[in-house]
Amino acid sequence: MQATTPGNADADIDARKALWREICEAATQLAGHCTVSVSIGHRTSGRIDASQPVPGVRTWQLVEAISLLSILLRAESVHSGSVSLFAKAGPLKIEEDGVPRYVWAQQQLRGHYSDLGGRPDLIVTSSPDPPTPANVHRVVEVKSGRQLGAQVVRGEFGKAHDLRVTSYFIWAFYAPSAHVKAGARRLGLNLEELGFDSPRRKDLITQPHALLSHVAHTLEQARQSHRFATALEDADQEARRKLPSSKR
C-alpha cells in the first residue's frame, strides 16, 4: 500500500483509487434509478465502472462525486434519469422524508446578507428553481488542504449564515485538530474527516464498500441533525436575553 504524501491529497494514489472504486460501486447501486457518467471538459463518458482508470480530476472532485452519489443512494427515491460527475449538475430531483429535494453541483449563488457570489460544491434545495438563500436547504463542501484551521472554519461559518442553510457539512481530507473540530461543532458546522490519515486508512482502502458506507452514513447523520439551524436558533435566543428589557 502506498503511503499518503503529506499535504498533497492529489498525490495519494491509493486514496484516489479507493474513492474511484466506491464511486463506481455507488453508480452500480443506482443503476436501477439513474445512469452515472463522467464529464471532463467537453467530453462525457458512457456508464462508468471500476475497470476504467481514475479520471484526471482533483481529489476534492472525487470526494464531491462520492458525496453526490451518496445523497442519491440515501434518498427515498431518485427522479432524475442521469447524472454527470465532475461538472455542473442539477436540479437532480430526489425525495427525502416524503419531501421533494433537488441536488446541485458547482452552482453559483449569492448570499442573503452580503450579496456576494459563491459556488459551493454541493447544494440541496427545496425547489427546482436555481439555488438562492430562499430555497437552499443544506450545503456540502470539500477541503483537501493540509491546514484547516480556525480562520477557515470561521469563513465557512460566515458562508453558512449568509446562505441561511439548515445544515452545512465540510469534508476534510486530512483530519483537523480536535480543537478545530470542537470549534466547528460549537458554530453548528458538521466538520468530518474522511479518514485517510487515520488508523482507518487500511480499511477504507482495502475493504470494499467501507468508504462508501462511511461517506453515506456520515452525510445522512448530518442531514438529520439540522445542526446549523439549531445552533443559530440557540445563539439568537442568547443574544435576545442580553438585550435591555426596554428593547425586547
Side-chain angles (χ1 to χ4, degrees):
M1 182 186 302
Q2 180 173 320
T4 183
T5 302
N8 189 352
D10 291 332
D12 191 339
I13 303 302
D14 287 328
R16 288 173 58 82
K17 287 180 178 178
L19 284 163
W20 177 240
R21 179 195 69 214
E22 300 298 80
I23 288 169
C24 293
E25 172 59 27
T28 298
Q29 293 185 26
L30 286 166
H33 306 279
C34 66
T35 300
V36 181
S37 61
V38 167
S39 179
I40 300 177
H42 299 292
R43 297 169 49 195
T44 300
S45 74
R47 191 185 298 269
I48 64 174
D49 66 71
S51 66
Q52 299 168 354
V54 180
V57 297
R58 302 288 301 275
T59 299
W60 70 262
Q61 291 175 279
L62 294 171
V63 180
E64 175 194 279
I66 194 174
S67 298
L68 170 58
L69 298 182
S70 292
I71 291 172
L72 301 185
L73 278 174
R74 286 301 181 105
E76 291 174 355
S77 58
V78 178
H79 301 281
S80 295
S82 64
V83 55
S84 188
L85 305 177
F86 316 126
K88 290 179 71 172
L92 305 172
K93 185 179 179 181
I94 61 174
E95 191 170 300
E96 295 175 330
D97 300 328
V99 177
R101 300 291 186 203
Y102 302 85
V103 187
W104 310 72
Q106 297 299 317
Q107 296 287 330
Q108 294 278 350
L109 77 160
R110 292 187 173 277
H112 173 74
Y113 301 102
S114 71
D115 197 38
L116 295 175
R119 191 176 69 173
D121 294 325
L122 298 176
I123 302 169
V124 180
T125 61
S126 58
S127 76
D129 304 310
T132 70
N135 69 355
V136 169
H137 184 256
R138 63 189 193 271
V139 163
V140 177
E141 286 277 24
V142 181
K143 302 296 181 184
S144 60
R146 172 64 75 175
Q147 300 298 326
L148 203 166
Q151 185 174 356
V152 173
V153 168
R154 290 193 186 103
E156 296 302 315
F157 169 78
K159 288 189 221 175
H161 184 261
D162 203 12
L163 295 177
R164 301 169 64 186
V165 298
T166 63
S167 172
Y168 197 93
F169 187 97
I170 305 169
W171 277 123
F173 188 86
Y174 296 106
S177 69
H179 177 70
V180 167
K181 281 195 69 173
R185 180 177 290 272
R186 285 192 289 270
L187 289 174
L189 304 176
N190 292 89
L191 174 58
E192 302 290 345
E193 64 267 18
L194 281 165
F196 286 117
D197 60 342
S198 76
R200 300 183 60 189
R201 175 182 174 86
K202 183 176 179 181
D203 289 342
L204 295 176
I205 288 176
T206 62
Q207 290 190 12
H209 315 332
L211 177 57
L212 179 59
S213 176
H214 168 55
V215 170
H217 177 70
T218 306
L219 287 173
E220 178 65 9
Q221 281 192 316
R223 180 185 77 84
Q224 295 181 10
S225 72
H226 306 296
R227 178 178 291 167
F228 192 75
T230 300
L232 281 189
E233 184 176 349
D234 291 346
D236 182 63
Q237 291 178 358
E238 178 65 22
R240 289 179 183 278
R241 281 196 292 269
K242 294 178 179 178
L243 287 173
S245 57
S246 61
K247 293 184 180 181
R248 290 181 185 174

